[in-house]
Amino acid sequence: PHHMASFEQVQSVETLTTECDTHRKALVQLKVAGTAEALTVTCPSIAIAESLADLIDGHCRLVNNTRTSLWNTK
């Protein structure tokens, strides 16, 4: 395992799906402070991506002691 970011560094969490109908994938994108590119995790389904995003968002709220969600569910 390689440390990519701390929960304190996460600025936003977003769930997306790919455009390709044949090979549709779900993505979780994290905007991380101090990085130019988003950290993207590919998931086999939107349900799994949403579960992962919810888990990450919950940890970020705990670490930052806030009730404000970072997860953009658009």
Side-chain angles (χ1 to χ4, degrees):
H2 181 56
H3 180 78
M4 302 298 288
S6 298
F7 289 110
E8 295 91 347
Q9 295 175 284
V10 177
Q11 296 175 328
S12 70
V13 180
E14 190 171 4
T15 49
L16 308 161
T17 56
T18 58
E19 298 287 325
C20 178
D21 289 330
T22 308
H23 302 98
R24 187 165 301 257
K25 297 282 186 189
L27 308 171
V28 177
Q29 280 193 335
L30 307 176
K31 184 174 181 197
V32 179
T35 62
E37 294 184 27
L39 175 61
T40 304
V41 179
T42 305
C43 302
S45 71
I46 192 65
I48 292 172
E50 289 175 346
S51 292
L52 181 59
D54 191 35
L55 181 67
I56 292 168
D57 184 52
H59 275 78
C60 289
R61 285 185 281 157
L62 283 171
V63 166
N64 294 315
N65 195 27
T66 184
R67 290 181 175 217
T68 304
S69 176
L70 299 176
W71 184 16
N72 182 357
T73 58
K74 63 179 173 178

